Amino acid sequence: MTSLTDVQNTAFMAIGPSRIAALSLLALAQDQRGQDQGGQDGSDPQTVLDLSVQRIAAAHAMLGEGLDGLLHASGYSLPPDLAARRQACLEMLSPLHRALSQTDAGPLDSLRRIPDLAGLCLYRLEPAVSGFLKQMVQILHEAQQDRDSTREKGMRETIASAEDVGRNIKFISFNASIEAARIGDMGKGFAVIATEIRELSGKTQTLLEEISGYLRH
């Protein structure tokens, strides 16, 4: 089963960059010279555009079926309020994704057709994605801690049960050795087996006690 920590990290790496990508796309769309001249930092506008398109596509895919697949593999479902935040992010990201996917016009021209592009990128998408990621990290981290605690408790209980079984086997093998001694030569073979069982159960119990000690630290 996939750990929730892995889900958290994978989702964050796919979704997080969409925030800077949206701001970069806004800057390119507002800069009429963007296709012909480099930015103030010397960056190539086409490189920035291509990278932003990739980041928006990756975030859109992760917020959709990608995250569903990770959550299914981890056996976990998002709480309703976090699921609602995720859906809101997906809906806000969809206009950018659709515009960048259109082939009848250049991506920047398609972006400029989005109503209130600045408001979407600056005041709605960025806060929504940041809020979702913050809550997602917190909730998945706590859920994984609960899982680890439950698993550790189960391991302790299992080891304790195994220790009890080991002690019982040792006791039974000891009694068997006594009975074998009572019947003389006919019980010698059985006595050897009983002794081996007793020694094996002792070694097993020692090993279980060592494992239990590691878990306590």
Side-chain angles (χ1 to χ4, degrees), residues 9 36 63-64 83 88 113 134 137 139 153 155 179 188 208:
N9 293 339
D36 304 316
L63 284 167
R113 297 174 187 172
K134 180 179 180 180
V137 168
I139 287 179
K153 180 180 178 182
M155 290 174 63
E179 293 300 323
K188 287 183 178 180
L208 291 171

Side-chain angles (χ1 to χ4, degrees), residues 8-83:
Q8 166 194 310
N9 293 339
T10 302
F12 192 96
M13 292 298 295
I15 299 170
S18 66
R19 295 170 293 181
I20 189 63
L23 299 178
S24 298
L25 290 170
L26 174 62
L28 290 173
Q30 290 180 336
D31 185 0
Q32 299 297 329
R33 303 170 301 161
Q35 294 285 7
D36 304 316
Q37 300 181 16
Q40 293 180 354
D41 60 356
S43 58
D44 175 21
Q46 187 60 48
T47 299
V48 174
L49 176 60
D50 293 342
L51 182 58
S52 298
V53 170
Q54 294 173 11
R55 288 173 170 174
I56 293 296
H60 189 270
M62 179 56 66
L63 284 167
E65 295 182 357
L67 188 52
D68 285 335
L70 292 176
L71 292 171
H72 179 74
S74 68
Y76 184 79
S77 298
L78 296 180
D81 58 335
L82 185 57

Side-chain angles (χ1 to χ4, degrees), residues 99-192:
L100 297 173
S101 301
Q102 292 178 3
T103 57
D104 59 338
L108 295 182
D109 289 336
S110 298
L111 287 172
R112 295 185 184 111
R113 297 174 187 172
I114 298 176
D116 192 19
L117 178 63
L120 173 63
C121 295
L122 288 172
Y123 304 115
R124 297 195 295 277
L125 179 60
E126 199 284 331
V129 171
S130 295
F132 168 74
L133 291 176
K134 180 179 180 180
Q135 186 179 10
M136 180 194 71
V137 168
Q138 178 181 353
I139 287 179
L140 293 186
H141 176 70
E142 292 174 352
Q144 185 61 48
Q145 283 187 321
D146 289 342
R147 284 187 172 186
D148 292 341
S149 178
T150 300
R151 181 170 62 250
E152 182 176 335
K153 180 180 178 182
M155 290 174 63
R156 290 179 185 275
E157 292 176 349
T158 300
I159 289 175
S161 298
E163 288 175 340
D164 289 340
V165 172
R167 284 191 290 270
N168 289 335
I169 292 176
K170 191 173 183 179
F171 180 72
I172 292 171
S173 64
F174 180 74
N175 288 339
S177 297
I178 294 176
E179 293 300 323
R182 286 180 178 177
I183 60 177
D185 292 341
M186 295 180 59
K188 287 183 178 180
F190 185 70
V192 172

Side-chain angles (χ1 to χ4, degrees), residues 163 205-215:
E163 288 175 340
Q205 186 173 354
T206 299
L207 178 60
L208 291 171
E209 289 173 351
E210 291 179 357
I211 295 173
S212 180
Y214 291 140
L215 289 175

